[in-house]
Amino acid sequence: MDFDMLGLSAPLPERLAEAGLDTPTPIQAKAIPHAMEGRDVMGLAQTGTGKTVAFGLPVLDALIRSGGKPAPKTARALVLAPTRELANQIADNLRPLTGGARLGIAVVTGGVSINRQIGRLERGVDVLIATPGRLIDLMDRGCVDLGQTQFLVLDEADQMLDMGFIHALRKIAPKLRQDRQTLLFSATMSKQMNEIAQTFLTDPVRVEAAPPGKPADKVTQEVRFLSKEGKTDHLAELLGEHRGERALVFVRTKHGADRLMRQLDRAGYPGAALHGNRSQNQRDRALKAFRDGEIRVLVATDVAARGIDIPEVEYVYNYDLPNVSESYVHRIGRTARAGRTGKAVALCQPDELAYLRDIEKLLGKTLPVALDASWAHLAPQSPPAGGGRKRRGGGGGGGGRPNKGAAQQARPARTGKPAGRRRGAKAG
């Protein structure tokens, strides 16, 4: 099938053609027809497979067909995203499709002036793209009324769950119209995700374009076993093998990102760090420089695991293995986008073996070993400082309000055991 067969309202077909989009991706082909019929949809697909268009086209089409203008301080459609970067990316993908349709799109996230956002909402918007925390701030101030909102989209819903936004969703959803249409899209599936679907969706159609939690087929993966002390020098050597290509390096903590970037800069690999302690302007500048090729190395926490859509990222390095195995899939999904190929390298130190085993269990396979070590096949030891294996969260800095525990530092246990981070601790 192609987009012309969907019966989309003008000018959507023309805008799609201008963007070079002729044939729907699998998730788009499966989700759009159901959504256009008014059904609630749960869509599961890998990152980078076109989920934004899968929910964006039906919503835009419905808004065009219904006509009318939003009342002051209202939004006809609401898209919730877990991070500022993803919210802005969604807007960047949808705005070209609205040309000539006179549909207004607004983005509200933390990290930027709330007064400017209040002014934009005064006139009302057709599509409001928001992070949960900033949206609740605006709701509490009486600056936005969701009582007329007909469409709710939960994008990357699993990450919103990881980041502790479930309480925010429970506060936001009841403010919308009861007869709304809800579309939920995610890259991974879990028992808790099913519970979210049962809570916020009505008789949903479940569509799946690829096994959830699995990386793109065109990502070549490998693991290298290293000592903690040897990681930085080895990473610099690997970066030196492809100086002209973009590399995204993931670490677990904000301070770790800054520290590693300083070390790489001294080694002759200038770049930028991206994490929740950076202002929105700093984050935007870093992403733009990386996208434009002004810098070739970006060191990031999981705040960047979703929301970076840069097809030219050739390499993803997991300098620190994630302590939530699903995050590995999202991280390496930043490469091999838009039909390209990419490579993902995991640098595993001894106390990260437990994390590696969890990742391999999720993938259903053992990662090829590019650099072995005598300890590599030992039973998993204690997790490294900075988090227990079962912790979910750590996206920090997504522009929203995390759960209460996210604002607290983990306290040392009095039993003499190493202290782990609490759920949602400041790892991003």
Side-chain angles (χ1 to χ4, degrees), residues 22-95:
D22 301 316
T23 304
T25 65
I27 188 60
Q28 293 165 3
K30 292 183 177 183
I32 291 175
H34 292 296
M36 289 183 65
E37 292 175 357
R39 295 287 304 275
D40 284 6
V41 175
M42 174 191 288
L44 302 173
Q46 302 165 350
T47 58
T49 54
K51 293 195 292 293
T52 301
V53 172
F55 65 72
L57 273 183
V59 170
L60 295 178
D61 179 76
L63 294 176
I64 292 172
R65 290 179 186 274
S66 63
K69 295 182 179 180
K73 297 186 178 180
T74 68
R76 300 170 68 195
L78 172 64
V79 180
L80 289 178
T83 68
R84 308 168 195 169
E85 282 72 24
L86 182 56
N88 288 322
Q89 177 189 310
I90 293 169
D92 290 342
N93 288 338
L94 293 186
R95 283 194 176 108

Side-chain angles (χ1 to χ4, degrees), residues 1-8 12-14 16-17 21-22 24:
M1 67 180 297
D2 56 35
F3 284 115
D4 290 337
M5 299 172 61
L6 296 173
L8 295 167
L12 292 177
E14 291 84 356
L16 288 166
L21 301 176
D22 301 316

Side-chain angles (χ1 to χ4, degrees), residues 34-41 58 62 150-153 179-183:
H34 292 296
M36 289 183 65
E37 292 175 357
R39 295 287 304 275
D40 284 6
V41 175
Q150 303 167 274
F151 304 95
L152 172 63
V153 177
D179 61 344
R180 70 175 186 270
Q181 181 182 8
T182 304
L183 309 176

Side-chain angles (χ1 to χ4, degrees), residues 185-263:
F185 283 81
S186 176
T188 62
M189 192 62 192
S190 66
K191 179 180 178 181
Q192 291 168 303
M193 280 299 303
N194 272 321
E195 293 173 355
I196 287 181
Q198 292 172 5
T199 301
F200 298 107
L201 280 68
T202 301
D203 188 27
V205 177
R206 173 169 169 163
V207 295
E208 186 173 320
K214 304 300 180 184
D217 295 333
K218 294 186 178 182
V219 180
T220 302
Q221 303 174 68
E222 68 180 41
V223 61
R224 293 170 176 259
F225 295 104
L226 298 156
S227 67
K228 180 178 180 180
E229 295 75 19
K231 274 188 174 183
T232 303
D233 288 343
H234 191 74
L235 174 62
E237 292 176 7
L238 293 173
L239 293 174
E241 296 174 2
H242 56 86
R243 282 183 176 270
E245 298 174 298
R246 290 176 182 82
L248 184 54
V249 183
F250 282 103
V251 296
R252 193 174 300 117
T253 68
K254 304 168 187 176
H255 297 301
D258 289 332
R259 181 172 60 251
L260 179 59
M261 194 62 257
R262 289 193 297 268
Q263 293 171 332

Side-chain angles (χ1 to χ4, degrees), residues 158-175:
D158 50 348
Q159 190 182 17
M160 280 195 271
L161 178 66
D162 287 347
M163 295 173 64
F165 287 133
I166 184 63
H167 300 296
L169 293 180
R170 288 174 177 156
K171 184 173 182 179
I172 294 168
K175 302 297 184 182

